[in-house]
Amino acid sequence: MSRIKNLEDYSVAYRESVEDPSKFWGNVAEEFTWKKKWDQVLDWNFEDYYCKWFIGGKLNITENCIDRHLETKADQAAIIWQPNDPHEAPITFTYADVHREVCKMANVLKSYGVKKGDRVCLYMQMVPELAFSVLACARIGAIHSVIFAGFSSHALASRIEDANAKMVITADTAYRGAKQIPLKEVVDESLNACPSVETCLVLKRTGEEIYMKEGRDVWLHEALEQVSTENEAEVMDSEDPLFILYTSGSTGKPKGVVHTTGGYMVYTKYTFENVFQYDEGDTYWCTADIGWITGHSYIVYGPLLAGGTTLMFEGIPTWPDAGRFWKIISKFKVNQFYTAPTAIRALMAQGLENVDIHDLSSLKVLGTVGEPINSEAWQWYYEHIGKRKCPIVDTWWQTETGGMMISPIAGVTPTKPTYATLPLPGIQPALLDSEGKEIDGRGVEGNLCIKHPWPSILRTTWGDHERCKFTYFSTYKGYYFTGDGCRRDEDGYYRILGRVDDVINVSGHRLGTAEIENAINLYSAVIESAVVGYPHEIKGQGTYAYVICDPVAIEEYSMEELKKGISSMVVKEIGPIARPDKIQIVRGLPKTRSGKIMRRILRKVAEGDTSNLGDTSTLLDPSIVESIKEGAIS
Ligand code: WTA
């Protein structure tokens, strides 16, 4: 058992993982079911990036998630599903149920011609069929690409196109709090631009009337009736791609981060069990959406690999009231609860009336992920949700890292509010200065890099390995660069300070400012724009857009009309998550003589801190700054 139980275990594991990574991870990997054992644990090069783990190993990850538990846990709950409507009955799927459903779904995919290596896009709300689809793809060796169901048809189309997907799986519409989201309609719009898609499977969730295109669209329930409940898992290589997940960076279109099979499996289970100290019989709940990496690694794969019980929630934290999370915790006696700081802040603002009426005594561990947690939110979570008895694991990681990287191990690592604390075994962080030199010692700050690969590091970006090398391995030669700033304090504890690139983190969602600018610039009245983040009480960061509009449009339309048009364009291109919080129409942007926008100034103005804007003498037209300051939106 590679379970860490105390600080001594942690120190030993950490030391071994650094001294001999191959031996360490080789031992951890022994716990899994392999069809053929690996020949070599690791081969890698960060300078001309490639990385391979468990080379020559053959396996199927779903046999490790499901089949291997059937002997002892066939009747144990694997997935508990809580629907959006509190009056709709939850459904519990045992390991035997999940096995049956995944095999059936896998057979449906095969019957529509999906083969090993094909890409399948999943665009669904948090329903069990989403988890089954993910696993069904993995079962037959198809590469899943889950697209968060809040993305617009344009965003969906560009991701389907980039992956050249053969199939899309969606639902008629989605319940989301009091609203309904027309998923199939969005898919229809995007499929017009995606000739690669041969089949669209449609889950009937709400029964809302929808268009079904003959020869392309298929009702999932009808297809499932035609197939057997057994499916032999495809033999996969450790390094066969498992999934693509698109994520935003500082430039260009979102990248398809590629994770492979063996290393991802080993690392997600290891971190899940250790960080949450998951014990047999516990009920674990992660409130993320499977559309993000957290849902992949810690709703589906990690918990099922560990033979655990994982809860899936279709709804939102504030409907029908702000006590929804706490009600679900008390109803299912949740033991480990994992959520985002933004949700904590939003619920904290609603007061304690919605908290104190629920019995939260089942909780043992609390977790957070996705953005830095502020001290007030940490304290509130610790005191009012965990009742001062549950350790908080503030887990730092990324889509690219596949699993948690720097995090306390619950009950083992002494926590410190706002600190992700210490690196997990196998993770070798380094702080680098702007010259690329490692900053040693304690009480220091720098750009967070990782020196050595871990099993679930991204392998490439889909269709463009050069982009992967450039984005992550060129800033600092020989290091993986995370894009985050970080502090190492006197105790050697790490605190993540936020992104140092042009990525903003809005309610835990990663958005590239360039991506939002591109969307804004598509609006006919817009000449140019610049987007920056600013501190937002609930969302962590808000989106502030400075936009230059065409003088003719300014004559013709009111400011409100222009702003509305800009906003709608962003929603159309990306989705509601990227809608700017503030739009300031400006006559110019602060540019240097070489044409570079001085974002530092824009950030300061957006923060409301205009007292000291630093040196503006290199600006082409310093008077622009005055006019931007005057029109700033507070
Ligand atoms: C940020 C989410 C502070 C960070 C798993 C990172 C965090 C980005 C934390 C990745 C944390 C994630 N404390 N910041 N505990 N966790 N971040 O790819 O900036 O959606 O680079 O992965 O979120 O976001 P992503």
Side-chain angles (χ1 to χ4, degrees):
M1 255 314 259
S2 43
R3 176 62 77 86
I4 292 165
K5 281 284 166 206
N6 51 49
L7 265 185
E8 173 68 18
D9 291 351
Y10 166 75
S11 308
V12 171
Y14 190 79
R15 195 178 59 240
E16 288 177 355
S17 77
V18 171
E19 281 171 5
D20 192 345
S22 291
K23 184 168 168 216
F24 179 82
W25 290 113
N27 280 339
V28 175
E30 293 284 353
E31 293 172 12
F32 295 81
T33 305
W34 297 83
K35 289 175 190 287
K36 174 184 167 282
K37 209 177 148 177
W38 55 92
D39 306 312
Q40 185 186 339
V41 175
L42 172 65
D43 185 20
W44 66 292
N45 183 347
F46 272 2
E47 304 221 344
D48 184 17
Y49 181 59
Y50 71 84
C51 183
K52 295 178 181 157
W53 282 90
F54 309 109
I55 300 160
K58 303 285 176 194
L59 73 157
N60 187 290
I61 193 170
T62 71
E63 289 186 336
N64 284 278
C65 287
I66 313 167
D67 306 48
R68 114 192 192 103
H69 306 306
L70 290 179
E71 205 175 304
T72 53
K73 297 183 172 171
D75 298 329
Q76 183 205 295
I79 298 176
I80 300 175
W81 179 61
Q82 170 61 55
N84 177 63
D85 184 341
H87 303 296
E88 190 179 336
I91 305 179
T92 297
F93 296 88
T94 63
Y95 273 92
D97 294 333
V98 171
H99 182 260
R100 185 188 63 244
E101 295 306 319
V102 170
C103 286
K104 277 165 61 183
M105 185 74 90
N107 288 329
V108 167
L109 299 192
K110 274 177 121 170
S111 73
Y112 283 93
V114 178
K115 295 184 301 293
K116 180 171 175 173
D118 286 343
R119 276 77 58 209
V120 176
C121 271
L122 313 180
Y123 185 74
M124 292 163 113
Q125 68 275 49
M126 286 286 288
V127 284
E129 289 79 3
L130 173 55
F132 302 153
S133 302
V134 161
L135 294 163
C137 287
R139 185 91 177 167
I140 66 167
I143 302 168
H144 57 76
S145 165
V146 186
I147 319 287
F148 174 62
F151 279 117
S152 71
S153 62
H154 284 226
L156 174 60
S158 76
R159 287 159 173 80
I160 294 174
E161 241 186 322
D162 186 78
N164 216 8
K166 193 167 190 176
M167 179 186 265
V168 173
I169 310 180
T170 189
D172 45 5
T173 67
Y175 294 124
R176 188 175 160 77
K179 285 198 239 160
Q180 266 195 49
I181 318 283
L183 296 187
K184 177 60 167 55
E185 204 178 297
V186 175
V187 170
D188 287 338
E189 275 173 40
S190 56
L191 288 191
N192 291 332
C194 299
S196 65
V197 175
E198 294 167 9
T199 314
C200 176
L201 293 179
V202 187
L203 168 76
K204 193 179 253 201
R205 167 68 184 113
T206 62
E208 206 60 31
E209 193 142 325
I210 52 157
Y211 166 71
M212 293 289 279
K213 182 171 174 177
E214 180 114 22
R216 184 195 70 190
D217 300 346
V218 177
W219 284 111
L220 182 60
H221 59 276
E222 290 176 5
L224 285 168
E225 278 168 18
Q226 313 289 322
V227 295
S228 129
T229 54
E230 290 296 327
N231 173 283
E232 192 166 334
E234 188 75 35
V235 181
M236 304 299 288
D237 189 272
S238 294
E239 282 301 328
D240 278 335
L242 176 62
F243 64 85
I244 305 172
L245 188 56
Y246 285 86
T247 189
S248 298
S250 17
T251 54
K253 284 197 305 187
K255 300 176 284 288
V257 166
V258 176
H259 283 288
T260 56
T261 307
Y264 179 82
M265 169 180 82
V266 169
Y267 196 74
T268 51
K269 174 178 185 267
Y270 179 81
T271 47
F272 171 77
E273 283 180 339
N274 278 301
V275 169
F276 292 114
Q277 292 286 302
Y278 183 88
D279 284 324
E280 196 81 42
D282 284 348
T283 297
Y284 159 88
W285 181 23
C286 166
T287 70
D289 190 290
I290 294 176
W292 311 114
I293 191 68
T294 307
H296 281 63
S297 302
Y298 300 112
I299 294 178
V300 182
Y301 287 112
L304 296 181
L305 286 164
T309 300
T310 176
L311 198 137
M312 266 179 85
F313 174 42
E314 186 184 30
I316 55 171
T318 48
W319 188 83
D321 59 58
R324 194 73 199 275
F325 275 2
W326 323 129
K327 189 174 179 154
I328 294 175
I329 290 174
S330 96
K331 177 168 167 181
F332 295 101
K333 303 200 168 27
V334 169
N335 304 109
Q336 291 90 2
F337 178 67
Y338 191 30
T339 196
T342 190
I344 298 168
R345 288 190 296 264
L347 297 175
M348 184 169 112
Q350 303 284 327
L352 289 173
E353 310 83 271
N354 283 307
V355 179
D356 291 342
I357 51 173
H358 299 291
D359 174 12
L360 303 180
S361 60
S362 58
L363 287 171
K364 296 195 283 191
V365 177
L366 300 175
T368 71
V369 60
E371 44 172 332
I373 183 164
N374 50 313
S375 181
E376 295 88 329
W378 197 100
Q379 294 297 353
W380 186 86
Y381 198 32
Y382 186 67
E383 191 161 326
H384 298 290
I385 306 303
K387 317 290 180 198
R388 302 188 152 271
K389 67 177 177 57
C390 303
I392 294 180
V393 291
D394 175 354
T395 65
W396 172 81
W397 57 295
Q398 311 178 292
T399 304
E400 295 85 344
T401 69
M404 305 180 228
M405 301 285 283
I406 302 182
S407 169
I409 293 174
V412 170
T413 318
T415 59
K416 188 188 264 195
T418 77
Y419 279 76
T421 73
L422 297 173
L424 292 172
I427 307 308
Q428 301 184 32
L431 302 183
L432 271 74
D433 67 17
S434 48
E435 259 88 69
K437 276 222 316 284
E438 254 189 61
I439 307 167
D440 292 327
R442 297 187 167 184
V444 292
E445 273 179 36
N447 291 334
L448 179 60
C449 293
I450 314 287
K451 288 201 251 200
H452 187 278
W454 59 100
S456 64
I457 184 173
L458 89 158
R459 301 306 197 259
T460 189
T461 47
W462 184 256
D464 194 350
H465 191 60
E466 286 308 310
R467 191 168 177 203
C468 171
K469 286 192 204 172
F470 179 76
T471 311
Y472 306 106
F473 299 95
S474 71
T475 316
Y476 301 110
K477 222 173 166 44
Y479 295 83
Y480 165 81
F481 177 43
T482 66
D484 283 314
C486 183
R487 173 180 172 73
R488 184 169 49 225
D489 76 356
E490 305 301 337
D491 299 325
Y493 269 31
Y494 290 86
R495 178 184 188 178
I496 309 299
L497 303 170
R499 302 288 305 198
V500 293
D501 53 9
D502 289 322
V503 169
I504 53 177
N505 193 325
V506 179
S507 301
H509 302 319
R510 234 170 110 167
L511 296 166
T513 51
E515 204 185 330
I516 306 175
E517 287 160 11
N518 290 341
I520 293 177
N521 297 351
L522 287 174
Y523 187 55
S524 57
V526 171
I527 293 179
E528 201 183 356
S529 61
V531 169
V532 297
Y534 70 95
H536 186 288
E537 218 174 296
I538 304 286
K539 298 174 166 190
Q541 276 188 302
T543 316
Y544 195 122
Y546 297 89
V547 186
I548 308 176
C549 285
D550 183 346
V552 181
I554 292 185
E555 290 258 304
E556 207 168 316
Y557 301 101
S558 70
M559 285 290 171
E560 282 323 301
E561 282 169 324
L562 287 172
K563 289 184 185 182
K564 225 170 136 192
I566 292 165
S567 213
S568 314
M569 187 51 101
V570 176
V571 173
K572 184 167 156 223
E573 283 301 308
I574 307 176
I577 52 171
R579 190 198 309 269
D581 294 285
K582 294 180 182 176
I583 299 174
Q584 182 182 350
I585 313 252
V586 294
R587 75 177 163 84
L589 292 167
K591 286 192 182 173
T592 60
R593 287 191 190 89
S594 57
K596 217 169 143 306
I597 298 173
M598 280 182 99
R599 289 174 180 273
R600 175 177 59 76
I601 294 179
L602 297 178
R603 279 190 210 108
K604 282 257 181 199
V605 174
E607 278 167 25
D609 171 16
T610 52
S611 54
N612 179 14
L613 293 179
D615 181 15
T616 54
S617 63
T618 57
L619 288 179
L620 193 60
D621 176 4
S623 76
I624 290 283
V625 177
E626 283 313 307
S627 77
I628 288 181
K629 267 164 63 176
E630 275 163 29
I633 305 166
S634 57

